[in-house]
């Protein structure tokens, strides 16, 4: 029995290590995507200045106004999507939602949380990361980009942190009454991670689907002084 426990523990350790490497690689790719957007906008900055000067020199005020309006819209699209007040949470959310936009997924997000939380930020990041990964994956199954959307909402409700992720989806997949991943070979590992962490913090979790929309709500208790 001890030999079995030893080799089983080794197998689990290798699996966890492989998943950690995979998540780290994915997070690096997401952050690099943000940096590419920043470099691209900076590269174009000089050309934008030249165009503004040209319109002003020619006295074409209407075209100058239209150009400035377009630049403002581009900047809004590029801007950091979320400034919740918590730096680590913002980093996770913004990298995920930026990735969603590269897949032509419409994003609507709002998050207002304290800079410091009584919950371990690592656990919260895992929950958020998996929720958003699942939402992005579900949207990518939809052939028409116009049908893809993700709505994210985080806020405090009394002494609880409330999270809600709603996304477009195809028909969901269930097994024994439970939602399961459509990704081959993964067997819903992300879903299990969310379940375990919510249970660890004695929280509440609800998943529901209806007419091409999937929603996951999470309520996590905070310390009394928050």
């Amino acid at each position: 029995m001890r030999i079995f426990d030893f080799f089983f523990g080794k197998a689990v350790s290798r699996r966890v290590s492989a998943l950690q490497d995979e998540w780290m690689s994915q997070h690096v790719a997401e952050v690099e995507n943000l940096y590419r957007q920043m470099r691209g906008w900076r590269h174009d900055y000089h050309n934008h200045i030249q165009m503004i000067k040209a319109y002003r020199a020619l006295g074409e005020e209407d075209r100058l106004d239209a150009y400035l309006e377009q630049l403002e819209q581009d900047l809004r699209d590029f801007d950091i999507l979320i400034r919740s007040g918590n730096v680590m949470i913002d980093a996770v959310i913004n990298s995920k939602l930026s990735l969603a936009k590269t897949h032509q997924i419409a994003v609507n997000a709002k998050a207002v949380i304290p800079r410091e939380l009584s919950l371990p930020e690592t656990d919260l990041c895992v929950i958020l990361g998996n929720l958003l990964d699942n939402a992005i994956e579900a949207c990518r199954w939809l052939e028409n980009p116009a049908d893809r959307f993700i709505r994210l909402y985080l806020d405090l409700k009394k002494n609880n942190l409330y999270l809600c992720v709603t996304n477009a989806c195809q028909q969901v997949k269930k097994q024994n009454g439970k939602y399961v991943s459509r990704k081959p070979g993964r067997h819903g590992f992300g879903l299990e991670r969310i379940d375990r962490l919510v249970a660890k913090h004695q929280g509440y979790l609800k998943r529901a689907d209806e007419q091409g929309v999937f929603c996951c709500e999470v309520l996590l208790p905070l310390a009394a002084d928050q």
Side-chain angles (χ1 to χ4, degrees):
M1 183 62 70
R2 289 182 178 178
I3 295 176
F4 172 80
D5 290 342
F6 174 80
F7 284 107
F8 180 75
K10 286 285 188 180
V12 170
S13 178
R14 286 195 298 270
R15 176 61 174 159
V16 170
S17 178
L19 285 169
Q20 288 175 337
D21 290 343
E22 180 182 341
W23 289 334
M24 180 61 70
S25 298
Q26 182 175 343
H27 185 63
V28 168
E30 291 161 359
V31 172
E32 287 177 344
N33 177 62
L34 281 175
Y35 288 162
R36 279 195 299 272
Q37 293 182 53
M38 293 173 65
R39 288 195 296 268
W41 207 91
R42 185 172 61 184
H43 179 266
D44 294 337
Y45 187 80
H46 178 73
N47 292 333
H48 293 319
I49 294 296
Q50 296 304 312
M51 287 296 296
I52 291 170
K53 288 181 177 179
Y55 283 138
R56 187 179 65 177
L58 294 171
E60 298 186 12
E61 301 296 331
D62 291 342
R63 297 184 68 182
L64 175 57
D65 289 343
Y67 192 79
L68 290 172
E69 178 63 31
Q70 183 60 54
L71 281 181
E72 187 176 15
Q73 181 59 51
D74 291 345
L75 187 57
R76 282 196 295 266
D77 291 342
F78 163 76
D79 197 13
I80 298 299
L81 300 170
I82 286 293
R83 292 188 179 91
S84 69
N86 185 291
V87 175
M88 181 176 285
I89 302 305
D90 287 354
V92 172
I93 294 176
N94 285 303
S95 65
K96 298 294 183 183
L97 295 187
S98 176
L99 182 64
K101 285 196 167 188
T102 66
H103 294 298
Q104 298 177 283
I105 301 172
V107 171
N108 187 323
K110 179 181 179 181
V112 181
I113 56 178
R115 182 179 297 274
E116 301 292 336
L117 288 169
S118 58
L119 293 167
E121 289 180 329
T122 50
D123 287 355
L124 186 53
C125 286
V126 169
I127 293 172
L128 272 171
N130 277 292
L131 286 174
L132 291 172
D133 282 343
N134 292 341
I136 292 170
E137 187 68 24
C139 287
R140 291 182 63 186
W141 283 94
L142 299 172
E143 293 185 5
N144 186 356
D147 296 332
R148 302 171 186 168
F149 71 85
I150 293 175
R151 292 194 292 268
L152 169 68
Y153 181 71
L154 283 84
D155 203 352
L156 296 181
K157 292 188 179 294
K158 295 185 178 180
N159 288 330
N160 299 282
L161 179 64
Y162 174 73
L163 297 77
C164 181
V165 177
T166 306
N167 58 270
C169 67
Q170 290 183 338
Q171 184 175 359
V172 298
K173 185 178 179 181
K174 287 185 177 181
Q175 192 173 57
N176 299 324
K178 292 185 177 182
Y179 293 100
V180 296
S181 173
R182 295 172 62 95
K183 292 180 284 188
R186 293 293 296 274
H187 306 297
F189 187 83
L191 297 175
E192 293 177 6
R193 287 282 288 163
I194 295 169
D195 292 348
R196 284 201 296 268
L197 287 173
V198 172
K200 170 186 172 182
H201 296 289
Q202 299 180 329
Y204 166 83
L205 184 148
K206 178 183 178 181
R207 296 185 178 98
D209 67 280
E210 182 178 353
Q211 296 180 346
V213 177
F214 182 82
C215 179
C216 184
E217 295 178 287
V218 175
L219 203 64
L220 297 169
L222 299 172
D225 57 353
Q226 287 203 281

